[in-house]
Amino acid sequence: MRHLSYIAGWMVKALAVVLAITILNFFLIRMAPGDPAIVLAGEAGAADEQFLEQVRSDFGLDRPLPIQLAAYVGNVLTLDLGQSYRAQRPVVDMLFERLPATLLLTGSAYLFALLLGPLLGALAATRPRTIFDSLLMVVALFFYATPIFWVGLLLILVFSVQLGWLPPFGMQSMIPVSGAWNQTLDVLRHLILPALTLGLFYIAVYVRLTRASMLETSSLDYVKTARAKGLPEWRVATAHVLRTALLPIITFAGLQAGHLVGGAVVVETVFAWPGIGRLAFDALFQRDYNLLLGVFLLSALMVVFFNMITDILVRLADPRIGSA
């Protein structure tokens, strides 16, 4: 019952947060410079005032801002995100078309980093102030401090332009391949460079976080007691040090998972990956308000959901937190 009460309270808070974010995003987008009607008129080649007024009337942009806000919030509560101004299609359909590509990219990079990052960080923590530790920290700092788009362009230059091993752009080859297995391999070949670009940044974070957490935990009294009892060093590192050190890693990983949808805008733009991030980038330049608001709402829902999952996992990993 305690866990159910906690989840119910979390859901109430989550709904309030999502509603507040929805309203804030609405006003932020409306405050940004630009007019969707002018963009659409420019594409149609008819920029006279009568055409602009007709476009604003068709999309409800001529109504007072509070009325537009009330209408939008009411539609969101009924899971209706409206239509894209430019594509003339439901925003929900466009989001769910692009969502699998984004989840494939960010999920692959996330799992790759989550498996390799803590492992390298733990190895560095067991060999502090050695050449391996110093070299690993320098490499991790390099990828953490280097802009993601620069890493992506560098990988394209090396593995696509110079070596010709991997395709530089897109999710599939321009010439379709036949057969389900060949199509899967084609997608995986296109996935390697963008997933590696995004994953290297995440790995750098997990390496440094795991190392610092394990070194801090190694100095605690109960770890010294375990060593004094004669336990093997590998058992002390795994059963005593790593278990406690995983708490901040779980917390950070959960918070990072919430940004899977909106966190790959730069990578998707560099590699022309057809995901949510690229969709948001295009919608921004096209002043497609409904589509942008849909992307922001989806990102907010992901963040709130994974924050709740993170809290639950942390409580399971350390029952003292739940009883506090």
PDB file of all heavy atoms in Angstrom, residues 220-233 236 240:
ATOM      1  N   LEU A 220      34.831   4.127   2.848  1.00  0.00           N
ATOM      2  CA  LEU A 220      33.874   4.006   3.946  1.00  0.00           C
ATOM      3  C   LEU A 220      34.283   2.893   4.905  1.00  0.00           C
ATOM      4  O   LEU A 220      35.008   1.956   4.539  1.00  0.00           O
ATOM      5  CB  LEU A 220      32.476   3.746   3.379  1.00  0.00           C
ATOM      6  CG  LEU A 220      31.896   4.860   2.485  1.00  0.00           C
ATOM      7  CD1 LEU A 220      30.516   4.462   1.976  1.00  0.00           C
ATOM      8  CD2 LEU A 220      31.830   6.184   3.233  1.00  0.00           C
ATOM      9  N   ASP A 221      33.766   2.970   6.128  1.00  0.00           N
ATOM     10  CA  ASP A 221      34.182   2.049   7.188  1.00  0.00           C
ATOM     11  C   ASP A 221      33.801   0.608   6.893  1.00  0.00           C
ATOM     12  O   ASP A 221      34.585  -0.322   7.148  1.00  0.00           O
ATOM     13  CB  ASP A 221      33.575   2.485   8.529  1.00  0.00           C
ATOM     14  CG  ASP A 221      34.177   3.795   9.023  1.00  0.00           C
ATOM     15  OD1 ASP A 221      35.295   4.124   8.588  1.00  0.00           O
ATOM     16  OD2 ASP A 221      33.523   4.480   9.836  1.00  0.00           O
ATOM     17  N   TYR A 222      32.585   0.381   6.363  1.00  0.00           N
ATOM     18  CA  TYR A 222      32.154  -0.996   6.153  1.00  0.00           C
ATOM     19  C   TYR A 222      32.974  -1.690   5.064  1.00  0.00           C
ATOM     20  O   TYR A 222      33.129  -2.914   5.071  1.00  0.00           O
ATOM     21  CB  TYR A 222      30.662  -1.056   5.837  1.00  0.00           C
ATOM     22  CG  TYR A 222      30.290  -0.682   4.426  1.00  0.00           C
ATOM     23  CD1 TYR A 222      30.160  -1.661   3.448  1.00  0.00           C
ATOM     24  CD2 TYR A 222      30.056   0.634   4.071  1.00  0.00           C
ATOM     25  CE1 TYR A 222      29.814  -1.334   2.144  1.00  0.00           C
ATOM     26  CE2 TYR A 222      29.709   0.970   2.783  1.00  0.00           C
ATOM     27  CZ  TYR A 222      29.586  -0.009   1.828  1.00  0.00           C
ATOM     28  OH  TYR A 222      29.248   0.324   0.547  1.00  0.00           O
ATOM     29  N   VAL A 223      33.523  -0.913   4.123  1.00  0.00           N
ATOM     30  CA  VAL A 223      34.401  -1.490   3.108  1.00  0.00           C
ATOM     31  C   VAL A 223      35.741  -1.876   3.737  1.00  0.00           C
ATOM     32  O   VAL A 223      36.306  -2.947   3.441  1.00  0.00           O
ATOM     33  CB  VAL A 223      34.601  -0.502   1.945  1.00  0.00           C
ATOM     34  CG1 VAL A 223      35.570  -1.072   0.916  1.00  0.00           C
ATOM     35  CG2 VAL A 223      33.270  -0.186   1.281  1.00  0.00           C
ATOM     36  N   LYS A 224      36.255  -1.030   4.606  1.00  0.00           N
ATOM     37  CA  LYS A 224      37.501  -1.362   5.304  1.00  0.00           C
ATOM     38  C   LYS A 224      37.311  -2.600   6.183  1.00  0.00           C
ATOM     39  O   LYS A 224      38.212  -3.441   6.283  1.00  0.00           O
ATOM     40  CB  LYS A 224      37.936  -0.178   6.154  1.00  0.00           C
ATOM     41  CG  LYS A 224      38.298   1.068   5.349  1.00  0.00           C
ATOM     42  CD  LYS A 224      38.684   2.215   6.256  1.00  0.00           C
ATOM     43  CE  LYS A 224      39.022   3.468   5.447  1.00  0.00           C
ATOM     44  NZ  LYS A 224      39.363   4.619   6.338  1.00  0.00           N
ATOM     45  N   THR A 225      36.120  -2.727   6.790  1.00  0.00           N
ATOM     46  CA  THR A 225      35.840  -3.900   7.613  1.00  0.00           C
ATOM     47  C   THR A 225      35.807  -5.163   6.762  1.00  0.00           C
ATOM     48  O   THR A 225      36.323  -6.223   7.171  1.00  0.00           O
ATOM     49  CB  THR A 225      34.496  -3.728   8.344  1.00  0.00           C
ATOM     50  OG1 THR A 225      34.539  -2.532   9.130  1.00  0.00           O
ATOM     51  CG2 THR A 225      34.193  -4.918   9.240  1.00  0.00           C
ATOM     52  N   ALA A 226      35.218  -5.069   5.573  1.00  0.00           N
ATOM     53  CA  ALA A 226      35.165  -6.227   4.676  1.00  0.00           C
ATOM     54  C   ALA A 226      36.576  -6.663   4.275  1.00  0.00           C
ATOM     55  O   ALA A 226      36.878  -7.858   4.204  1.00  0.00           O
ATOM     56  CB  ALA A 226      34.332  -5.893   3.444  1.00  0.00           C
ATOM     57  N   ARG A 227      37.443  -5.709   4.009  1.00  0.00           N
ATOM     58  CA  ARG A 227      38.824  -6.060   3.670  1.00  0.00           C
ATOM     59  C   ARG A 227      39.538  -6.668   4.877  1.00  0.00           C
ATOM     60  O   ARG A 227      40.336  -7.601   4.740  1.00  0.00           O
ATOM     61  CB  ARG A 227      39.568  -4.817   3.193  1.00  0.00           C
ATOM     62  CG  ARG A 227      39.152  -4.316   1.823  1.00  0.00           C
ATOM     63  CD  ARG A 227      40.177  -3.356   1.259  1.00  0.00           C
ATOM     64  NE  ARG A 227      39.828  -2.926  -0.083  1.00  0.00           N
ATOM     65  CZ  ARG A 227      39.239  -1.759  -0.366  1.00  0.00           C
ATOM     66  NH1 ARG A 227      38.931  -0.923   0.618  1.00  0.00           N
ATOM     67  NH2 ARG A 227      38.939  -1.437  -1.606  1.00  0.00           N
ATOM     68  N   ALA A 228      39.263  -6.127   6.070  1.00  0.00           N
ATOM     69  CA  ALA A 228      39.918  -6.646   7.274  1.00  0.00           C
ATOM     70  C   ALA A 228      39.495  -8.084   7.568  1.00  0.00           C
ATOM     71  O   ALA A 228      40.259  -8.850   8.179  1.00  0.00           O
ATOM     72  CB  ALA A 228      39.592  -5.745   8.463  1.00  0.00           C
ATOM     73  N   LYS A 229      38.296  -8.454   7.147  1.00  0.00           N
ATOM     74  CA  LYS A 229      37.837  -9.826   7.348  1.00  0.00           C
ATOM     75  C   LYS A 229      38.491 -10.814   6.382  1.00  0.00           C
ATOM     76  O   LYS A 229      38.275 -12.024   6.498  1.00  0.00           O
ATOM     77  CB  LYS A 229      36.316  -9.893   7.178  1.00  0.00           C
ATOM     78  CG  LYS A 229      35.547  -9.240   8.320  1.00  0.00           C
ATOM     79  CD  LYS A 229      34.051  -9.350   8.093  1.00  0.00           C
ATOM     80  CE  LYS A 229      33.267  -8.730   9.243  1.00  0.00           C
ATOM     81  NZ  LYS A 229      31.793  -8.852   9.039  1.00  0.00           N
ATOM     82  N   GLY A 230      39.247 -10.295   5.426  1.00  0.00           N
ATOM     83  CA  GLY A 230      39.955 -11.165   4.503  1.00  0.00           C
ATOM     84  C   GLY A 230      39.208 -11.510   3.239  1.00  0.00           C
ATOM     85  O   GLY A 230      39.598 -12.454   2.534  1.00  0.00           O
ATOM     86  N   LEU A 231      38.148 -10.767   2.930  1.00  0.00           N
ATOM     87  CA  LEU A 231      37.412 -11.040   1.694  1.00  0.00           C
ATOM     88  C   LEU A 231      38.281 -10.717   0.478  1.00  0.00           C
ATOM     89  O   LEU A 231      39.086  -9.775   0.514  1.00  0.00           O
ATOM     90  CB  LEU A 231      36.127 -10.202   1.636  1.00  0.00           C
ATOM     91  CG  LEU A 231      35.025 -10.563   2.637  1.00  0.00           C
ATOM     92  CD1 LEU A 231      33.851  -9.613   2.488  1.00  0.00           C
ATOM     93  CD2 LEU A 231      34.569 -11.995   2.455  1.00  0.00           C
ATOM     94  N   PRO A 232      38.137 -11.496  -0.598  1.00  0.00           N
ATOM     95  CA  PRO A 232      38.896 -11.194  -1.821  1.00  0.00           C
ATOM     96  C   PRO A 232      38.566  -9.799  -2.347  1.00  0.00           C
ATOM     97  O   PRO A 232      37.440  -9.309  -2.191  1.00  0.00           O
ATOM     98  CB  PRO A 232      38.449 -12.286  -2.803  1.00  0.00           C
ATOM     99  CG  PRO A 232      37.882 -13.370  -1.951  1.00  0.00           C
ATOM    100  CD  PRO A 232      37.309 -12.701  -0.740  1.00  0.00           C
ATOM    101  N   GLU A 233      39.549  -9.167  -2.980  1.00  0.00           N
ATOM    102  CA  GLU A 233      39.346  -7.794  -3.443  1.00  0.00           C
ATOM    103  C   GLU A 233      38.225  -7.698  -4.476  1.00  0.00           C
ATOM    104  O   GLU A 233      37.477  -6.714  -4.498  1.00  0.00           O
ATOM    105  CB  GLU A 233      40.650  -7.262  -4.044  1.00  0.00           C
ATOM    106  CG  GLU A 233      40.618  -5.780  -4.386  1.00  0.00           C
ATOM    107  CD  GLU A 233      40.360  -4.891  -3.179  1.00  0.00           C
ATOM    108  OE1 GLU A 233      40.771  -5.278  -2.061  1.00  0.00           O
ATOM    109  OE2 GLU A 233      39.733  -3.826  -3.352  1.00  0.00           O
ATOM    110  N   VAL A 236      34.976  -7.612  -2.595  1.00  0.00           N
ATOM    111  CA  VAL A 236      34.784  -6.315  -1.949  1.00  0.00           C
ATOM    112  C   VAL A 236      34.335  -5.275  -2.980  1.00  0.00           C
ATOM    113  O   VAL A 236      33.422  -4.474  -2.736  1.00  0.00           O
ATOM    114  CB  VAL A 236      36.085  -5.858  -1.257  1.00  0.00           C
ATOM    115  CG1 VAL A 236      35.948  -4.434  -0.718  1.00  0.00           C
ATOM    116  CG2 VAL A 236      36.443  -6.811  -0.132  1.00  0.00           C
ATOM    117  N   HIS A 240      30.361  -4.923  -2.261  1.00  0.00           N
ATOM    118  CA  HIS A 240      30.289  -3.851  -1.272  1.00  0.00           C
ATOM    119  C   HIS A 240      30.440  -2.460  -1.897  1.00  0.00           C
ATOM    120  O   HIS A 240      29.634  -1.577  -1.631  1.00  0.00           O
ATOM    121  CB  HIS A 240      31.373  -4.056  -0.199  1.00  0.00           C
ATOM    122  CG  HIS A 240      31.160  -5.278   0.640  1.00  0.00           C
ATOM    123  ND1 HIS A 240      31.474  -6.545   0.212  1.00  0.00           N
ATOM    124  CD2 HIS A 240      30.652  -5.421   1.890  1.00  0.00           C
ATOM    125  CE1 HIS A 240      31.179  -7.426   1.159  1.00  0.00           C
ATOM    126  NE2 HIS A 240      30.683  -6.777   2.183  1.00  0.00           N
TER     127      HIS A 240
END
